[in-house]
Amino acid sequence: MNLSSFTELVKRAKAIAIFCHHNADPDALGSSYGVRWICSNLAPSARADIIAVGGASSLSLQLLSELNIAISFLEECSPTNYDLFFMVDTNSFTQLSPYDEEIFSSTTPLIVIDHHAVKEEVKTRTSFSFIDPNATSTAELVFSLMESLPLPPPPMEVSLLLLAGIVFDTRRFAIASVKTFSVVAKLVDLGANYNLVLKALQTKVSYSERVARLKAAQRAQLYLVNDDLVVAVSHVGSYEASAARSLLEIGADAAFVVSEKDDAVRVSARCNSHFAEKTGMHLGVDVMEPLGKLIGGAGGGHSMAAGANGTGSAEYVISLLVELLRKKFSEKGLSFKPLK
Ligand SMILES: [Mn+2]
């Protein structure tokens, strides 16, 4: 990697804007913090602002408070106040709206650091890019960048946040490469406490959401498809998507959860890949789309995650849904019967 143009761009800057995508996740925020530390070393007199456009995700905020790290970042800015832009963990300009047009059409140098496949419009606009779609997080790339530059070891806060970015984006190393582990070993060597990061990233589920999940399980009607697939149908007051996911976690192959509030109903449908493959059922097209019409609303979605909304009581919507499932499974030559 020829870093002389990177170093030149940063050293020349007086005011640096480090942009990261909407609802900045721990990888975006941690990577931006690492980039800011690089900038503060290469251009000590320059101002460098992190701009988490529209604000950071609630998990990112939880991470900072659990790790006791106070990062200052802006949620909005005036791009014309800066003479160098970074785009971190952000592969398209639309992820930076309302600044997309301004960043795209300005002549301010732009440095892109990302592990996503970056859009062509971004590539042609960049002055320097460090893009590697094989990297499992942007934090991994930022650490590699630090290693390639003549910098002192990063402070603890930087190591912690880079480690958090990696742990989050790799889904706790469900996807990881040799490089990932080597970077993580170095970060831990620098003092980043892995257990602390794991704890700080634990998603806390609210009392009402946990109760909704438990009630969904308690009220579930179970059906058997093709003698080996379990379909759960249930209803809650809210958190129907979370309830549907939790029904899959405890053993259902497909879950349909209806929520009813003031005559408005929402339906959330989820299934695992085993169910999708064995039945050939597309939850969005085959189930939620027709159900949405039946309940005077709309529905659709993906093959394994879909939803619908409309009006009616939960009881009524469940009866329509079960009839619809019966019809669809029979069209596919599959049996569908209550599980006893
Ligand atoms: Mn990322």
Side-chain angles (χ1 to χ4, degrees):
M1 189 175 17
N2 178 14
L3 286 175
S4 56
S5 60
F6 172 83
T7 311
E8 273 319 298
L9 283 167
V10 177
K11 282 188 171 165
R12 236 188 287 147
K14 296 206 166 46
I16 304 167
I18 304 162
F19 288 101
C20 53
H21 61 76
H22 294 148
N23 204 28
D25 60 26
D27 186 38
L29 204 64
S31 299
S32 300
Y33 195 53
V35 167
R36 183 159 73 181
W37 180 75
I38 294 175
C39 292
S40 70
N41 275 273
L42 297 179
S45 58
R47 188 176 99 229
D49 293 334
I50 295 171
I51 297 130
V53 180
S57 77
S58 53
L59 185 62
S60 293
L61 298 177
Q62 175 191 310
L63 174 75
L64 295 178
S65 84
E66 292 277 321
L67 294 178
N68 225 336
I69 296 176
I71 298 188
S72 57
F73 61 84
L74 306 173
E75 299 187 1
E76 46 190 279
C77 73
S78 175
T80 46
N81 290 344
Y82 299 93
D83 59 2
L84 175 63
F85 295 151
F86 272 88
M87 268 168 74
V88 176
D89 200 45
T90 304
N91 71 338
S92 74
F93 290 114
T94 47
Q95 287 179 294
L96 298 179
S97 77
Y99 308 118
D100 45 345
E101 258 314 306
E102 209 172 336
I103 296 168
F104 175 68
S105 53
S106 89
T107 53
T108 306
L110 171 67
I111 297 175
V112 176
I113 305 175
D114 198 6
H115 69 120
H116 301 99
V118 171
K119 295 260 159 69
E120 208 50 45
E121 47 160 30
V122 178
K123 274 189 198 158
T124 52
R125 166 70 177 81
T126 55
S127 318
F128 178 90
S129 63
F130 186 24
I131 297 160
D132 182 1
N134 292 317
T136 54
S137 63
T138 299
E140 184 181 311
L141 292 176
V142 171
F143 185 80
S144 303
L145 185 60
M146 285 176 183
E147 276 192 307
S148 319
L149 293 163
L151 298 174
M156 177 72 81
E157 290 188 343
V158 171
S159 308
L160 272 173
L161 287 182
L162 290 179
L163 180 59
I166 294 171
V167 170
F168 176 77
D169 254 36
T170 62
R171 283 180 272 125
R172 291 165 181 72
F173 307 110
I175 39 161
S177 67
V178 172
K179 178 81 183 166
T180 311
F181 288 116
S182 121
V183 168
V184 167
K186 288 172 188 164
L187 286 169
V188 172
D189 254 352
L190 286 166
N193 184 326
Y194 176 62
N195 287 321
L196 195 64
V197 167
L198 269 189
K199 197 170 158 269
L201 283 173
Q202 246 161 37
T203 35
K204 293 189 181 71
V205 183
S206 70
Y207 169 80
S208 45
E209 186 168 351
R210 281 182 288 127
V211 169
R213 288 179 179 181
L214 290 164
K215 283 189 175 169
Q218 186 183 39
R219 296 166 180 165
Q221 302 167 22
L222 304 177
Y223 296 88
L224 194 57
V225 175
N226 201 30
D227 293 326
D228 63 346
L229 296 168
V230 178
V231 174
V233 178
S234 193
H235 62 101
V236 289
S238 51
Y239 297 110
E240 64 284 348
S242 167
R245 279 197 307 275
S246 70
L247 289 172
L248 291 197
E249 274 166 34
I250 59 172
D253 293 289
F256 299 86
V257 180
V258 178
S259 78
E260 178 193 350
K261 210 179 248 169
D262 312 325
D263 207 40
V265 284
R266 289 202 301 247
V267 187
S268 189
R270 297 286 185 278
C271 74
N272 57 30
S273 54
H274 182 62
F275 177 91
E277 277 160 30
K278 276 207 122 174
T279 64
M281 187 89 94
H282 188 292
L283 294 183
V285 175
D286 293 331
V287 191
M288 290 298 112
E289 234 179 76
L291 184 69
K293 284 184 189 133
L294 287 172
I295 58 178
H302 305 282
S303 61
M304 301 199 292
N309 56 61
T311 48
S313 68
E315 211 180 358
Y316 172 68
V317 175
I318 285 175
S319 68
L320 289 176
L321 170 67
V322 170
E323 258 334 288
L324 183 63
L325 289 174
R326 201 184 307 282
K327 182 170 152 252
K328 292 289 172 179
F329 284 119
S330 116
E331 280 171 14
K332 292 186 184 289
L334 297 165
S335 63
F336 175 77
K337 56 192 179 211
L339 176 66
K340 294 212 175 81

